[in-house]
Each structure stands twice: as C-alpha cells, then as structure tokens.
Amino acid sequence: MPLNPLAVASSVIVVGGFVLVGAVLWPIFLRDIIIITNGLGRTVQPISDFPYQCRRISGPGLQACEDMWLSERTRQLFLACSDSASRKHWLPNAARFNVSGRSLNDKMIALDIDKPVNTGFEYRVLETPGFPGVNGDSGLHLVGMTGVDGQNHIDLYVVNAKPSVNITTGTYLTQKEHKEIGGNSTIELFRVNPEAEEVEFVKTFADPHILTPNNIAPTGKGSFYFTNDHGPHKAGTWHALSPIMKNGDVSYCNEGGCRKVDGGHGFPNGLSFGKDGLLYVPSSWAGDLKVYRTLPDGGVEHIDSIYIPYALDNLSLDGNGDLWIPGFPNMGDMLRAFDNPLGPTPPANVFRIHKKDDGTYQVDKVLEDSEGKVLPAATAVVHDVKTGRIFLSGIFSPFISVCEPIDSPSAETAGLGSTERDEL
Ligand SMILES: *[C@@H]1O[C@H](CO)[C@@H](O)[C@H](O)[C@H]1NC(C)=O
Ligand SMILES: *[C@@H]1O[C@H](CO)[C@@H](O)[C@H](O)[C@H]1NC(C)=O
Ligand SMILES: *[C@@H]1O[C@H](CO)[C@@H](O)[C@H](O)[C@H]1NC(C)=O
Ligand SMILES: *[C@@H]1O[C@H](CO)[C@@H](O)[C@H](O)[C@H]1NC(C)=O
C-alpha cells in the first residue's frame, strides 16, 4: 500500500526530538531519512524523458485508489478506491484517526482494459451486498487489494482499515481513544464472477496477528502472507517510531490462524509473489526489497536483497515475470499533497525489476514525472504486457493515469536501459 510516505513522514516529525537520543541509530537513520525519503542530490527527470504518452483518467468513484490488481485471465483491472479528501482524516496505517472524516463510500472498481471509451476505459463500481461493515453500516475502508484468478471466479482479498468500536457501548471509539488504541483492521475476502457483475462476500479474517496490515500475497491455496507495516503498534509513539525501530513484519495465515514469520522490517509494504515462486517484500522506509523462499510450514527464509534507494510502495507482477513498483522521489512533497490532495501533484516514479538468467536483478527506472504533470502520486502500478500499457493509481490522487508506449517498435526497450539504470 501506498500509505507509507505519509506515515513515514509523520514519523520523522513526531520523532524529531527522539532522534538525538538514539545516537547509535543516527548513521542509519540519517541515511534512511535524508537520502531515501527526501532524495537529496538525486536527479528527478521530467516525464518527457521517457518513451511513453501518459494521460489522466477521471470518473465517478475513480479516486484515491490505493491499490490495483490485474486479472490477466479476464482482462479486468480491479481497483481499491476511496475519497481523496477523506484519506487525510482516516488512515490508521498513517495514524490518522478522525473517525467522523472517514469515507463512507469506498468501493472496489472493475475496469475493462480492452474496452477503451473516450480517454478512458469502461468500468463498473462494484456494490458489495451482504457485507456487514461496522454496526451494519456496510462500509469498507480500502487499503491493499490482491486477487487470485480461479477457473470460475476471481477471489479478491482486501485490507479493510476500519474503526474500532467500544465493546461495552457498541459505538465507535472517539478520535482521542483511537489515538491510543488504534483502528481495527481486518482482511476481507470477496468472490466475483468472471465479468465482475456479482460480488459475494465470503469471509472476514480477524486475528490477533492482523494488526497493521498493509497488503496481501495469497498463495492461491487459501492461505496468504501479509505485511504488518507497523508491526504490532497500531497507534501512539511506538507506531510513529516503528519504521526506524524496524519492527514491521511479514505474517502468514491459513485455516489454523495467523502467525508472524519474519520481523525487522522498516515499513514493509505491498509484498508479492514473483513468477519464480519467491516472495518479494518492499520497504517504504529502507529502500530495500527483501527476497524470501517460502517453506512448507508457511515460514520464510531470507535469501536475497535488492537495494533501490527510494521509498518503495506496492509491488506488482506482470505477465512476463517482471516486478513493477512505484517509488516516492520526494517524501516531503508527498506529505504536503496528502493533506492537500486537490493541490499540486508530487513527483512520482516507477521501477521495473527484471530477474536475469544468472539469478541477479536488473532495476530500471521506467517512468518519472518530476513536475507531477500526468502521473498520480502513485502508490500502485500495473503493467499490461499485451499492450505495453502502464496503469498508475495513488492513495489520495483524484484520478488514475495510463501510459501508452510511444509507437515505435523499439520504443519500449530503447532508452530504458543503462542510462536509466545509472540513475540508480
Ligand atoms: C474531522 O473530519 C471532519 C469531517 O470532515 C472535519 O469537519 C473536522 O474538522 C475533522 N477534525 C479534525 C480534528 O481534523
Ligand atoms: C499490490 O500488492 C499485492 C500483493 O500483495 C498485489 O496482489 C497487488 O496486485 C499489488 N498492486 C498492484 C498494483 O499490482
Ligand atoms: C474488530 O473487528 C472484528 C471483526 O469484524 C470484530 O469481531 C471485533 O469486535 C472488532 N473489535 C473492535 C474493538 O472494534
Ligand atoms: C467504552 O465505554 C465505557 C462505558 O461508557 C467507558 O468506561 C470506556 O472508557 C470506553 N472506552 C473504551 C476504549 O472502551
């Protein structure tokens, strides 16, 4: 999920006074904050440097889409959308707890990527009959989303960052109580038919280990991995310090329940399985992507790391087996835009991670928009290998964007090679 910049930036502020105390932490801390989150001394390129033609797509409901997932089988792009103006009020992953300001209109959207209309594509806003919400309000509070293409249906797993209720009175906790206790995030499973006309609510996963969930990587066999982006810390000072203390984790759930399988992460974000069956876990704080082998008992073994000196968001796998991920060239701009989503768009960029035959990784910067001209403050990116199109959405952006490769047979590969890589 894409929340990171916000939470990370607020951590930096909250933590200001604390930093001096942690003299030992200082070197790492400095490197992380100054280089990775603020991008000091980095060249941020204009969008015209890249061989793509990009445009924004707006429409009812098509805003504040934190995450997306492409169903290759049905050629539908699923989006987890909300309300741009509300994200700053309610986003437990970023310690925003103004319950009355939260969106009551979060919706999943199915967009038909082979059916262009005008400047956009045909899409449907999916209603979720049967989903109870909190106290019967049927509300969803969408953050991360991941699907599984099945034979007769598509399973959609979503993170639902909902408010907590007072168990005694049944009413929502106040903003003040939430600031101490935190929200009550769960993972919801929905099933849709191939044309995504009907949505069936299947079940809620609520577990003592589902604490600060950010995103989900289903195994396709009913079990799934997910990241707790702030580990066990739902609120308060420890929540703010969590990216520095690196106590985010990777957890695993199956029919038997959930458990933590790896700790020590600084704001772990949208993890994903690669085509090689390995599990890739990006960090929105440390700029490194950890690679794991999963074990038969659900545990994980750390086997490799890929260093990309940017705060990273949500990984997605394309049909070629490449992984795509948005980065945040400037965290300060991102935070300002979070509080003013209809104002200037912050710079965004996109990286592609290609695993070479020798097992090493090649990282290319594929897009960058230093002036925030056409790309959203991207928290999710999807690459459609059939058309070469790149779709981008952002957790608070009031639009999504699509980039078409400029029509020259070699355009897509030219210019993306070593020069961009040197930027890294
Ligand atoms: C909470 O949200 C409401 C509704 O948007 C808004 O009027 C109020 O100012 C917000 N409160 C705070 C403390 O931001
Ligand atoms: C974000 O990550 C999840 C895996 O956790 C993935 O399924 C989802 O498709 C990703 N988002 C995008 C844009 O691919
Ligand atoms: C949290 O959510 C679960 C599942 O929806 C619910 O059973 C539980 O009562 C909620 N707890 C609080 C404190 O809101
Ligand atoms: C819940 O309500 C009870 C009774 O009004 C109150 O004593 C308690 O402080 C409230 N807050 C929480 C977090 O339970």
Side-chain angles (χ1 to χ4, degrees), residues 2-214:
L3 328 169
N4 340 354
L6 329 167
V8 171
S10 55
S11 306
V12 176
I13 295 157
V14 174
V15 168
F18 262 89
V19 176
L20 299 174
V21 183
V24 183
L25 291 173
W26 188 240
I28 308 172
F29 195 64
L30 259 184
R31 189 202 73 182
D32 285 0
I33 296 181
I34 300 192
I35 303 184
I36 298 173
T37 69
N38 287 327
L40 202 73
R42 235 173 3 212
T43 319
V44 185
Q45 296 172 266
I47 191 76
S48 54
D49 280 6
F50 301 88
Y52 284 88
Q53 200 84 57
C54 303
R55 62 182 190 272
R56 294 177 170 183
I57 304 175
S58 314
L62 221 44
Q63 56 172 302
C65 307
E66 212 267 342
D67 203 2
M68 301 181 284
W69 174 74
L70 178 63
S71 163
E72 298 265 357
R73 244 168 66 84
T74 67
R75 307 286 297 157
Q76 294 173 99
L77 181 66
F78 289 89
L79 300 102
C81 304
S82 181
D83 170 20
S84 293
S86 299
R87 287 287 196 195
K88 66 179 172 196
H89 292 303
W90 180 260
L91 190 56
N93 307 62
R96 298 293 176 103
F97 295 118
N98 181 359
V99 193
S100 57
R102 78 192 190 285
S103 159
L104 290 173
N105 210 18
D106 284 20
K107 290 279 189 309
M108 295 183 281
I109 286 178
L111 184 142
D112 293 314
I113 60 171
D114 287 338
K115 295 184 187 162
V117 279
N118 304 323
T119 59
F121 298 85
E122 281 180 24
Y123 69 91
R124 291 175 302 292
V125 176
L126 307 178
E127 298 302 329
T128 49
F131 182 68
V134 180
N135 291 339
D137 68 3
S138 72
L140 275 166
H141 300 87
L142 296 173
V143 186
M145 159 188 271
T146 305
V148 180
D149 264 328
Q151 284 301 322
N152 308 310
H153 59 252
I154 295 162
D155 279 340
L156 294 173
Y157 290 81
V158 300
V159 170
N160 182 16
K162 67 187 199 292
S164 295
V165 295
N166 183 317
I167 300 294
T168 316
T169 61
T171 54
Y172 292 121
L173 296 188
T174 61
Q175 182 167 2
K176 188 164 167 292
E177 288 168 333
H178 268 111
K179 278 185 175 163
E180 287 160 20
I181 293 167
N184 184 21
S185 295
T186 48
I187 292 171
E188 317 289 347
L189 174 60
F190 292 94
R191 184 161 287 172
V192 300
N193 65 338
E195 292 76 37
E197 292 143 340
E198 281 164 36
V199 181
E200 180 198 346
F201 167 59
V202 181
K203 72 178 284 190
T204 294
F205 297 90
D207 186 280
H209 290 92
I210 301 180
L211 291 158
T212 54
N214 181 304

Side-chain angles (χ1 to χ4, degrees), residues 67-69 145-147 215-217 270-272 314-316 380-382:
D67 203 2
M68 301 181 284
W69 174 74
M145 159 188 271
T146 305
N215 220 322
I216 309 143
L271 74 180
S272 181
N314 191 58
L315 272 174
S316 80
V381 54
V382 160

